[in-house]
Amino acid sequence: MPEANTPVLNHEDALAPLVVFDRLEVGPVRLEPKRLVAPYRLTVAGEAEQTELIYTYEEDVFDPRSPESRNLADMIAAQVALNYGLFCRDIVFNGLFDKTDRRFLREMAKNTAREIFVNKFLVPNPFLVGDAASLPAVKAETYLQARLIFPRGVRVEGLRPWKTDPNRHCILSSGGKDSLLGFGLLEDMGREVHPIFVNESGRHWFTALNAYRHFRDSIPNTARVWVNADRFFSWMLRRMPFIRKDFAGVRSDQYPIRLWTVAVFLFGALPLMQKRGMGRLIIGDEFDTSRRVTTRGIRHYDGLYDQSIWFDRALSAYFNGKGWAVNQFSMLRPLSELLIEKILVERYPHLQEHQMSCHATHKAGDRVKPCGKCEKCRRIVAMLTALEADPTRCGYTRAQIKTCLTALLDKGLYSQPTAEAAHLLHMLSQRGAITVPPAEARAVRPYPEVMRLRFDPMVSPIDGIPEDLRVDLYRICMEYAAGAVAPDRSGWQPVDPFSHPDLNRPRAFEPGQSAAVETMAADTPPATFFWGDLCWPDAMDRLGIVDTALLPVGAIEQHGPHLPLDTDAFDADYLARRVADGCSAPKPLVLPLIAYGVSYHHEAFKGTISINNDTLANLVYDVGISVAKNGIKKLVIINGHGGNAPSLNFAAQRINQDARIFVCVDTGETSDVDVDRLIETPNDVHAGEIETSTSLAIRPHLVRLDRLQMEVPAFTSRYLDFTSKRGVSWYAHTHKISASGVMGDPTKASAQKGEKMWAVMIANLVGFVDQLKTMTLKEIYQRKY
């Protein structure tokens, strides 16, 4: 039987009109060095139709014989299907998919189904007809109605990781202001940039055409990917009975149905990133694209999930879980779109002249021109006029400019009132570009924060980009911004980004430099997720929205002659903080470290401090029961010392028995298989290649390189090998095995290995905890799908 997910809906009858397809089958992909072709077969009432999704590259990017290429191609081909989980009974993915792929596809399909239901069916949509245009608001455990099926026999595990360089930056490019500014900033900072344009079939490509021609002729490393996704989406729309037959002729600033679109282009750029070894993927999203809102009682991402900071984190976690070492982020999250336009106009006018945001463009000679009528055109003209820039530079005629400004108050700037819209109208009014009627004057007022860098810890944190970019980027932006601000309970307050405590915090998923990672040790994590930093009223607020906590447990014990005694304690605490920092909002709470562990076996070496098994088990049990009384329903114990495992597992059982909450212990289980692939040493279990590498990555100044010595244990029976898959659990005093206290080979350690190990451990736990915190106890105990 295939693996599938079984959705559970509270009101199946209400959503039944949307299930119009019996089966959507993807693949298997036909692969060529420069091309992938994915058959899509759609079955309705026993009748099957087929079309093809095609991606074409200008250079060889695939090896058709390689399982890694086939796996990547299958994931690229799968993305468009995630838009149809609300409308199909089954979606079948034929191809090579590992556990990380399957988990990612399920979670994104679930999220997208909810976003489409709320943002395409519960709000006005000019493309809908029939009963679907007036559906009731349905509260459901999941809106994913399709079973996602991965036929057995075509799975793959253990794919080779990518070799990437964080100094190489891929920018997902178009004719929009965001990608143009992103490129300009990276080039300004002297970084290696690869602009990758994804050429949609149809007229949407026109928006990128002016910029692409300029980049193709002038900018090294520019590349283009052609995909017929637009034609595929139209093919699907023509088969949806609740979509107007004349949808192609309807003027609208929204797509009829789809909301999982950015990933269709983003995944298309990945083969070029793999070939060129690019370690950073930059998308262009500003401050207000990360939103959590409620519509008719349903919490969602306002249809902008694939432009949000949570999307960045989900994709970075997926990439790192695959071993691809790709870090996705936007450099523009602290900026409003008006501030983005200001910097682009004033610092990079040679790029701004190629700006095009209109999706109803037309060709005029060798240039593409905007329509001058749509919402996007009104916004661009309004911003350029407010900034005293000339809209004709990027293609608007004087007549179009006048039309756009006249229509501002009648048709509006945005689909709903925002601080950005009010401030922009205020600027236009101050400059005499528009006349605001008295009845609307109250809605037109200044919001000074719009022209400042806004460092919000949830949607635009100061450490939301890699540490090595921050100072240069913020210095450039501060030349054009009216300062920087951060929120408190009374509103936006001025801050100095260059003295901010988070300026040097390493970003999750980023290998970076050892020195940069080391600064994490002295930093206090944001009070929003570190339990010990909260005042009790703040704790009450946080516990109202967070039911997941991380408890780091370590040990104070010898780690050979070269590593500090607190290695296990420090590492457990460091890992817990980095995992929480990498999780999407609301972040799990991190409990204060329990530093002492069961270390009797190391007591022959001075400096070791040990507590007995009962003491540790009782302490952890008491903490678990207490946090459960505070409202925690999911407790993840992050164990930094293997000798603690029996006591922690016993404590976890008791907490589960008495408090009836979910408790688990991770002593490396989520990452050991990945970390083992990075080392050369067998039986490397204590102060060897692994622990010395991870210490070199974050605390190199505490590693005594002059004292490194190899002492790899060897045993008479293979069943006694500590790292053998057939090994038994057994216990011994360390000095009987090793005279130095080392069990492994620290001479083979390196900071580079340590950075990879941390990246893997953090990414795997972030993926697990992010999934866990969204699940109810019922969903944990019984499979969701």
Side-chain angles (χ1 to χ4, degrees):
M1 289 292 293
E3 178 184 348
N5 61 317
T6 305
V8 179
L9 288 173
N10 294 336
H11 304 284
E12 293 183 3
D13 291 343
L15 297 179
L18 298 180
V19 183
V20 294
F21 304 131
D22 295 325
R23 187 179 183 92
L24 180 63
E25 191 164 355
V26 185
V29 168
R30 302 196 303 274
L31 198 59
E32 304 168 12
K34 295 181 181 179
R35 192 169 183 254
L36 74 86
V37 180
Y40 264 74
R41 286 173 291 279
L42 187 66
T43 303
V44 183
E47 297 292 326
E49 296 182 83
Q50 180 167 315
T51 189
E52 293 179 332
L53 178 70
I54 304 170
Y55 285 78
T56 303
Y57 299 81
E58 297 175 321
E59 57 192 84
D60 289 352
V61 293
F62 296 118
D63 177 358
R65 300 166 299 176
S66 159
E68 286 79 15
S69 280
R70 299 203 67 84
N71 170 242
L72 177 55
D74 288 332
M75 281 299 289
I76 295 169
Q79 298 309 309
V80 296
L82 300 187
N83 285 285
Y84 304 106
L86 194 58
F87 313 115
C88 300
R89 290 183 176 85
D90 293 329
I91 300 179
V92 182
F93 295 98
N94 294 299
L96 301 182
F97 299 96
D98 64 18
K99 291 179 181 177
T100 303
D101 300 326
R102 298 193 295 272
R103 182 174 65 242
F104 175 83
L105 292 172
R106 290 191 183 103
E107 291 303 315
M108 295 304 107
K110 176 184 175 183
N111 184 70
T112 304
R114 182 191 61 249
E115 293 298 304
I116 288 178
F117 175 70
V118 177
N119 293 281
K120 298 300 182 181
F121 291 94
L122 298 188
V123 300
N125 183 343
F127 296 96
L128 296 180
V129 295
D131 294 340
S134 56
L135 290 179
V138 176
K139 281 195 173 183
E141 292 183 28
T142 178
Y143 296 88
L144 179 62
Q145 303 200 81
R147 296 187 306 159
L148 303 192
I149 300 173
F150 301 87
R152 293 193 184 277
V154 290
R155 302 187 186 186
V156 61
E157 307 294 341
L159 296 169
R160 289 176 297 177
W162 291 4
K163 293 181 179 180
T164 61
D165 184 347
N167 296 308
R168 295 177 180 173
H169 302 73
C170 169
I171 184 157
L172 201 61
S173 298
S174 69
K177 62 187 181 308
D178 304 327
S179 67
L180 292 172
L181 179 59
F183 171 81
L185 289 166
L186 285 168
E187 186 183 50
D188 211 345
M189 293 187 287
R191 307 308 164 113
E192 181 180 325
V193 195
H194 295 247
I196 308 299
F197 288 79
V198 180
N199 178 353
E200 297 179 81
S201 57
R203 296 179 62 86
H204 286 166
W205 172 238
F206 284 10
T207 62
L209 197 52
N210 291 342
Y212 170 70
R213 287 171 174 168
H214 167 75
F215 277 73
R216 177 196 60 194
D217 297 339
S218 309
I219 307 299
N221 299 322
T222 297
R224 181 182 65 165
V225 183
W226 181 88
V227 58
N228 69 337
D230 224 30
R231 294 175 187 167
F232 174 84
F233 288 129
S234 295
W235 186 83
M236 290 293 290
L237 286 172
R238 286 193 290 271
R239 286 150 181 81
M240 291 181 167
F242 44 77
I243 296 295
R244 293 174 53 162
K245 299 303 182 185
D246 61 345
F247 67 87
V250 177
R251 175 178 285 274
S252 177
D253 292 309
Q254 64 176 327
Y255 296 121
I257 288 296
R258 72 188 197 247
L259 280 175
W260 187 252
T261 304
V262 173
V264 174
F265 308 135
L266 185 152
F267 270 78
L270 292 178
L272 286 162
M273 293 192 67
Q274 180 188 30
K275 179 180 179 181
R276 300 182 184 185
M278 291 180 269
R280 289 176 177 170
L281 175 56
I282 291 89
I283 60 176
D285 294 306
E286 63 265 9
F287 178 81
D288 70 345
T289 54
S290 299
R291 308 177 193 164
R292 292 299 304 271
V293 298
T294 300
T295 299
R296 298 171 68 178
I298 303 171
R299 192 75 168 158
H300 61 100
Y301 293 97
D302 205 19
L304 296 170
Y305 178 79
D306 65 359
Q307 299 170 52
S308 71
I309 194 169
W310 302 292
F311 176 70
D312 289 346
R313 290 169 178 164
L315 268 291
S316 294
Y318 167 72
F319 296 149
N320 279 265
K322 292 286 291 182
W324 292 352
V326 172
N327 190 354
Q328 177 181 311
F329 56 91
S330 170
M331 300 188 298
L332 310 181
R333 296 214 180 273
L335 283 66
S336 67
E337 70 167 356
L338 185 56
L339 186 51
I340 289 172
E341 193 72 68
K342 176 180 172 67
I343 300 173
L344 183 62
V345 164
E346 297 182 11
R347 193 175 185 97
Y348 309 110
H350 63 291
L351 297 175
Q352 193 274 324
E353 66 178 304
H354 304 294
Q355 177 183 349
M356 185 66 60
S357 298
C358 172
H359 281 182
T361 57
H362 61 279
K363 285 186 176 180
D366 60 351
R367 296 286 289 179
V368 171
K369 301 289 185 179
C371 74
K373 299 176 182 178
C374 66
E375 177 188 314
K376 289 190 175 183
C377 284
R378 293 197 298 274
R379 281 161 50 191
I380 299 301
V381 168
M383 287 191 291
L384 293 172
T385 303
L387 294 167
E388 298 184 310
D390 184 1
T392 65
R393 293 190 73 254
C394 57
Y396 290 97
T397 66
R398 296 295 177 192
Q400 287 176 326
I401 296 169
K402 183 178 179 181
T403 298
C404 286
L405 294 175
T406 302
L408 284 181
L409 295 174
D410 293 335
K411 297 183 179 180
L413 276 166
Y414 304 88
S415 57
Q416 54 186 311
T418 63
E420 284 76 6
H423 189 79
L424 178 51
L425 291 172
H426 169 76
M427 289 178 64
L428 290 166
S429 177
Q430 292 292 102
R431 285 174 169 74
I434 62 171
T435 301
V436 180
E440 299 184 33
R442 285 189 176 183
V444 179
R445 65 184 184 89
Y447 286 83
E449 67 270 17
V450 170
M451 299 306 289
R452 295 170 180 162
L453 298 185
R454 284 178 282 183
F455 293 112
D456 182 288
M458 182 174 291
V459 302
S460 56
I462 197 167
D463 56 350
I465 62 174
E467 188 271 339
D468 63 285
L469 298 178
R470 292 172 199 160
V471 172
D472 289 343
L473 175 67
Y474 299 150
R475 277 181 179 157
I476 293 174
C477 293
M478 287 291 281
E479 291 181 33
Y480 302 90
V485 291
D488 66 11
R489 292 188 177 185
S490 60
W492 293 100
Q493 302 299 327
V495 295
D496 176 9
F498 306 108
S499 62
H500 195 283
D502 291 344
L503 182 66
N504 296 316
R505 286 175 61 83
R507 172 177 159 78
F509 313 115
E510 181 71 20
Q513 299 295 320
S514 298
V517 179
E518 178 197 336
T519 61
M520 181 69 178
D523 289 345
T524 301
T528 50
F529 66 79
F530 189 56
W531 191 293
D533 281 355
L534 297 170
C535 304
W536 77 259
D538 302 319
M540 182 171 63
D541 290 343
R542 292 294 297 164
L543 289 162
I545 59 173
V546 176
D547 68 354
T548 305
L550 312 181
L551 174 61
V553 182
I556 305 297
E557 61 182 32
Q558 72 84 19
H559 272 77
H562 63 289
L563 290 180
L565 296 167
D566 73 339
T567 294
D568 290 345
F570 181 90
D571 287 0
D573 191 51
Y574 176 81
L575 180 58
R577 295 178 187 224
R578 290 294 304 275
V579 168
D581 195 39
C583 284
S584 61
K587 296 177 184 297
L589 289 161
V590 178
L591 292 158
L593 166 72
I594 296 176
Y596 299 106
V598 179
S599 302
Y600 73 90
H601 47 298
H602 292 303
E603 285 181 328
F605 301 89
K606 291 299 181 183
T608 298
I609 300 174
S610 180
I611 59 178
N612 68 45
N613 296 75
D614 290 339
T615 301
L616 180 60
N618 287 333
L619 176 58
V620 171
Y621 170 81
D622 287 346
V623 170
I625 294 296
S626 188
V627 298
K629 291 178 180 177
N630 275 272
I632 293 299
K633 292 184 174 62
K634 289 157 275 186
L635 178 63
V636 179
I637 300 172
I638 296 179
N639 179 27
H641 170 51
N644 292 339
S647 299
L648 296 180
N649 286 320
F650 176 56
Q653 281 189 313
R654 291 178 60 203
I655 297 166
N656 173 252
Q657 180 181 32
D658 295 345
R660 299 185 181 276
I661 67 171
F662 171 84
V663 192
C664 68
V665 181
D666 185 343
T667 309
E669 289 84 356
T670 58
S671 297
D672 280 348
V673 65
D674 302 308
V675 171
D676 287 345
R677 295 192 189 108
L678 300 174
I679 65 170
E680 309 166 48
T681 313
N683 276 325
D684 190 85
V685 294
H686 190 72
E689 184 178 357
I690 294 173
E691 287 190 302
T692 306
S693 294
T694 53
S695 294
L696 284 170
I698 59 176
R699 299 197 293 173
H701 60 293
L702 295 180
V703 181
R704 292 295 300 268
L705 296 175
D706 57 321
R707 295 178 177 173
L708 298 183
Q709 55 183 289
M710 175 186 70
E711 203 162 346
V712 180
F715 302 102
T716 305
S717 171
R718 65 171 177 158
Y719 296 105
L720 298 178
D721 279 358
F722 293 119
T723 55
S724 169
K725 292 182 178 179
R726 299 180 184 273
V728 299
S729 296
W730 65 289
Y731 305 96
H733 290 270
T734 304
H735 71 277
K736 294 183 178 180
I737 299 173
S738 168
S740 66
V742 173
M743 288 183 280
D745 187 358
T747 67
K748 293 180 179 177
S750 70
Q752 291 72 30
K753 288 180 182 178
E755 288 165 356
K756 292 178 181 177
M757 292 171 189
W758 281 118
V760 165
M761 291 187 290
I762 293 165
N764 286 347
L765 268 173
V766 166
F768 170 55
V769 175
D770 248 352
Q771 184 181 36
L772 183 68
K773 67 187 180 68
T774 65
M775 299 169 71
T776 64
L777 291 179
K778 181 180 178 181
E779 289 172 333
I780 292 173
Y781 301 145
Q782 298 182 17
R783 190 170 183 165
K784 288 195 297 180
Y785 301 106

